[in-house]
Amino acid sequence: MDKFLYVAMSGAKQGMNALAVRANNLANANTDGFKSDMTQARSMQAFGEGLPTRVFSMIESPGSNFSSGPLKTTGRDLDIAIKGDGWIAVQAADGSEAYTRAGHLKFDNTGLLVNSRNTPIMGDAGPIVLPLPIDKVQISPEGIISIRPQGATAEVIEEVARIKFVNPGNDQMMRGEDGLFRLMSGLPAPKDPMVQVESGAIEGSNVNPVHEMVAMIDIQRQYEMQVKMMKNAEEADRSSASLLRIG
């Protein structure tokens, strides 16, 4: 009886974990450059005295779905989208180098180039700071940033920095708790001059809202089934106790 109840209870708990992953994916369906998390279920042996034959279910997120999101044309000079594989290097809150596909860029009143999450964009020598004031900014497919200083004539264009792009292979990347990706080794990835971007466009989230909604409904049904199993176990236990009293 306790085994029956334990299997149902652990299944319901892991279902809630799977629901949290799907809900997070759905919440980021409109987040630029977001990569959805995947889930998988497997059985795990319970360790401890008297439990060698027991197993419990486990839901885990083995990684992210690295397929490209839809390309959205904005016509904005500071929007960029990676073509094919590759990542934009950024500086995380702890000062380390991390990577993202979010390419909606802007600069603050100090000239610091950041993305939509206010994460500084990395160049060859650290975070990129543009010389202000600026009349026009443009980014080449190779990530070279050119500006026209305020008050300069139309033909004056100066190259001021180059965005660091990397492409270490998606199988080497993992998402951190801050939502940014890093190498599994923990080391910074070398720049890759072959990575190119499309200017005036951004990559959308690769989350399929319909797929996530269907998955959440399926998980909810499984949860209800587990709860029903627990209730059946309780009723069976109560019936057994009644028979013992009659005997």
Side-chain angles (χ1 to χ4, degrees), residues 34-141:
F34 181 80
K35 301 299 178 190
S36 61
D37 285 323
M38 299 185 293
T39 59
Q40 69 177 20
R42 63 186 176 117
S43 60
M44 290 288 292
Q45 183 177 354
F47 294 97
E49 186 177 355
L51 302 174
T53 62
R54 304 293 176 85
V55 295
F56 62 92
S57 58
M58 179 177 177
I59 297 291
E60 59 185 2
S61 180
S64 301
N65 173 10
F66 290 106
S67 63
S68 298
L71 205 64
K72 299 185 290 187
T73 301
T74 64
R76 186 170 170 270
D77 292 335
L78 282 173
D79 284 346
I80 56 173
I82 297 283
K83 296 178 180 176
D85 292 334
W87 298 84
I88 302 169
V90 297
Q91 186 180 51
D94 61 0
S96 63
E97 184 172 298
Y99 309 100
T100 179
R101 299 271 294 191
H104 181 71
L105 309 186
K106 58 184 179 181
F107 55 88
D108 61 17
N109 55 8
T110 67
L112 181 65
L113 189 66
V114 298
N115 64 11
S116 55
R117 296 178 54 185
N118 292 322
T119 306
I121 304 298
M122 299 289 282
D124 294 335
I128 296 174
V129 179
L130 304 180
L132 300 179
I134 296 172
D135 265 346
K136 182 178 176 59
V137 182
Q138 60 188 39
I139 301 175
S140 74

Side-chain angles (χ1 to χ4, degrees), residues 3-227:
K3 184 177 180 180
F4 180 32
L5 187 60
Y6 185 79
V7 170
M9 180 189 67
S10 63
K13 179 183 177 183
Q14 296 303 316
M16 295 301 292
N17 293 339
L19 192 64
V21 174
R22 296 291 184 178
N24 182 63
N25 285 343
L26 195 59
N28 286 284
N30 292 318
T31 301
D32 295 337
F34 181 80
K35 301 299 178 190
S36 61
D37 285 323
M38 299 185 293
T39 59
Q40 69 177 20
R42 63 186 176 117
S43 60
M44 290 288 292
Q45 183 177 354
F47 294 97
E49 186 177 355
L51 302 174
T53 62
R54 304 293 176 85
V55 295
F56 62 92
S57 58
M58 179 177 177
I59 297 291
E60 59 185 2
S61 180
S64 301
N65 173 10
F66 290 106
S67 63
S68 298
L71 205 64
K72 299 185 290 187
T73 301
T74 64
R76 186 170 170 270
D77 292 335
L78 282 173
D79 284 346
I80 56 173
I82 297 283
K83 296 178 180 176
D85 292 334
W87 298 84
I88 302 169
V90 297
Q91 186 180 51
D94 61 0
S96 63
E97 184 172 298
Y99 309 100
T100 179
R101 299 271 294 191
H104 181 71
L105 309 186
K106 58 184 179 181
F107 55 88
D108 61 17
N109 55 8
T110 67
L112 181 65
L113 189 66
V114 298
N115 64 11
S116 55
R117 296 178 54 185
N118 292 322
T119 306
I121 304 298
M122 299 289 282
D124 294 335
I128 296 174
V129 179
L130 304 180
L132 300 179
I134 296 172
D135 265 346
K136 182 178 176 59
V137 182
Q138 60 188 39
I139 301 175
S140 74
E142 295 77 23
I144 298 173
I145 302 175
S146 302
I147 67 164
R148 182 197 303 148
Q150 190 175 65
T153 55
E155 67 276 11
V156 176
I157 294 291
E158 301 175 359
E159 294 183 3
V160 293
R162 180 169 184 168
I163 300 173
K164 180 180 178 181
F165 298 136
V166 303
N167 186 19
N170 292 335
D171 58 339
Q172 302 297 316
M173 307 293 280
M174 63 179 295
R175 192 198 307 272
E177 293 183 355
D178 56 2
L180 298 171
F181 286 83
R182 295 173 175 81
L183 283 180
M184 294 180 184
S185 64
L187 299 173
K191 64 179 180 182
D192 187 341
M194 301 303 292
V195 177
Q196 293 197 334
V197 296
E198 181 169 335
S199 182
I202 54 176
E203 179 183 342
S205 169
N206 71 348
V207 173
N208 183 328
V210 175
H211 177 76
E212 298 298 332
M213 286 295 294
V214 171
M216 290 176 70
I217 292 171
D218 185 51
I219 293 170
Q220 183 65 31
R221 287 175 176 169
Q222 292 178 23
Y223 179 81
E224 291 171 355
M225 183 180 68
Q226 304 290 356
V227 172

